[in-house]
Amino acid sequence: MLQNHAINYTTARGHRYGGAAATTKDQSIRLKADETIYSEGEHALTIYHVEAGAVRIYRLTAAGQRYILSFYGKGEWFGLETGDIRTDFAEAVCETCVTPFRANHDAVAPIDLLHIALTNLAKAQHKQLVITEQSALKRVAAFVCEMADRHPGDCEFDMMISRSDIADYLGLTVETVARCFTKLREKRILCLNGKLQRIVRLLDRDALISLTI
Amino acid sequence: MLQNHAINYTTARGHRYGGAAATTKDQSIRLKADETIYSEGEHALTIYHVEAGAVRIYRLTAAGQRYILSFYGKGEWFGLETGDIRTDFAEAVCETCVTPFRANHDAVAPIDLLHIALTNLAKAQHKQLVITEQSALKRVAAFVCEMADRHPGDCEFDMMISRSDIADYLGLTVETVARCFTKLREKRILCLNGKLQRIVRLLDRDALISLTI
DNA sequence: CGAATTGTTGAATAGCGTCAATCAAGGTGG
DNA sequence: CCACCTTGATTGACGCTATTCAACAATTCG
């Protein structure tokens, strides 16, 4: 059902993106932490592939509240919109490298847009469950699981995401997020290291998973 | 960006769906309230177009908790999955009529699957905002707005959805939903009629919208 | 009629948000 | 080098809000 829906996309050459650094010779863009990739209201001409680092996608509510829809890590695609105008913002979380692709008939490689859209849809639906299944601890546990899934095999990894980003992603406050992390430490489920306490060492993966259910 | 992604789908003929009534001569299926269209774990071979009535899509958590991902009304498409196995359940909310379509090379009409996927993605993202921007009253107000948008022009319409369904959709309890509806009545924003109090008469649409912001 | 379903309301509780203070790490300027 | 400020994370006290548990009304169905 998902085959044969690819259309031809090609890498964008020599094009500058939203104030980001110029493309390198392999057409990828290097970004420093918090650099903007695109903003709400811009024309949506390109989709992006994350080569390294991480990207956050967010919206601003009428009240000026930031809400992070999703994070994208290495190997994932983002930037596919319903219309041709951006409805959200994309920023690098940390040192990040992305490759832009845009519609072109002289395509280098076909990209399965439907597959990307459906993957994003599945992610969005999963997040709905996480958020609705309230209890701050469950949400934070689910978030740590999501981060851990990006590092299969490793029991220690760097989340690279601030408490504030986590809060805006999970619909909580920074204080609540911090309290949940202390609870997870008290339960001997994980350790936090690094000066910003963003390096997670999983002590009891099973207990973490059972928290999210 | 959304053009040229259609693939050929055709109406499914003479096929029975998950215990639902047999297809009529125009290939559409008539369902009574609460009838199942498909269930989790089944093969996902078809997508559906709602001709009349409404459909609810839900999942069951490990704890047996029901969570309604979305409602689909007349003219909308549902049933498109990431893989080829259903990850959720589809049921008729009330008397409903849907038309199944399945992949076929001898197609009757091309269907833009990417457009459907992106529409669903946009819906899911919007719902994330509604749920996260907590405050029970805001969520209920947003829900009523969503229902009202399906009846443009009308200031009175039948939601056809139980308090329990609304609760499972918004991540609240039935009691909280009921209390929010009383608040909306007290604020003279709407009236509720019908024996099950599901018929909404909008008194102050602007006030309702301003609540959701 | 009694039983079941759906919706509403009340009282008590638990949990998250708000406000505020504190700590650690790092930067800057004298 | 030290004093000062800033940033990000943590912790405590308090209030508000949604949940929980319970009772009750209205309607339908057997």
Side-chain angles (χ1 to χ4, degrees), chain A residues 135-136 171-173 175-176 179:
Chain A
S135 150
L172 301 169
T173 58
E175 295 94 329
T176 304
R179 276 184 255 266

Side-chain angles (χ1 to χ4, degrees), chain B residues 158-163 192-199:
Chain B
D158 190 343
M159 298 192 296
M160 301 182 298
I161 296 174
S162 71
R163 298 290 186 269
L192 291 172
N193 297 310
K195 53 188 175 181
L196 289 175
Q197 301 290 92
R198 293 179 191 172
I199 297 174

Side-chain angles (χ1 to χ4, degrees), chain B residues 109-122:
Chain B
I111 298 174
D112 192 339
L113 292 182
L114 180 58
H115 186 259
I116 294 172
L118 288 175
T119 303
N120 287 341
L121 178 58

Side-chain angles (χ1 to χ4, degrees), chain B residues 71-130:
Chain B
F71 293 105
Y72 289 92
K74 184 180 173 180
E76 297 182 309
W77 293 87
F78 69 95
L80 188 54
E81 302 266 345
T82 307
D84 53 358
I85 298 288
R86 297 282 177 209
T87 56
D88 35 44
F89 299 84
E91 286 176 1
V93 170
C94 51
E95 281 252 329
T96 298
C97 182
V98 299
T99 308
F101 289 77
R102 60 193 170 95
N104 194 311
H105 296 294
D106 309 322
V108 170
I111 298 174
D112 192 339
L113 292 182
L114 180 58
H115 186 259
I116 294 172
L118 288 175
T119 303
N120 287 341
L121 178 58
K123 274 182 70 170
Q125 288 177 343
H126 177 256
K127 186 156 174 252
Q128 275 186 41
L129 292 186
V130 168

Side-chain angles (χ1 to χ4, degrees), chain B residues 20-66:
Chain B
T23 55
T24 64
K25 60 187 171 193
D26 64 330
Q27 293 95 33
S28 65
I29 304 173
R30 298 205 151 274
L31 300 140
K32 288 194 269 292
D34 298 322
E35 251 187 302
T36 300
I37 300 167
Y38 58 75
S39 297
E40 183 193 348
E42 292 179 10
H43 266 290
L45 301 167
T46 33
I47 60 172
Y48 298 85
H49 185 253
V50 182
E51 307 300 337
V55 172
R56 65 172 157 254
I57 307 292
Y58 68 92
R59 286 187 194 171
L60 294 176
T61 66
Q65 181 93 14
R66 185 183 68 156

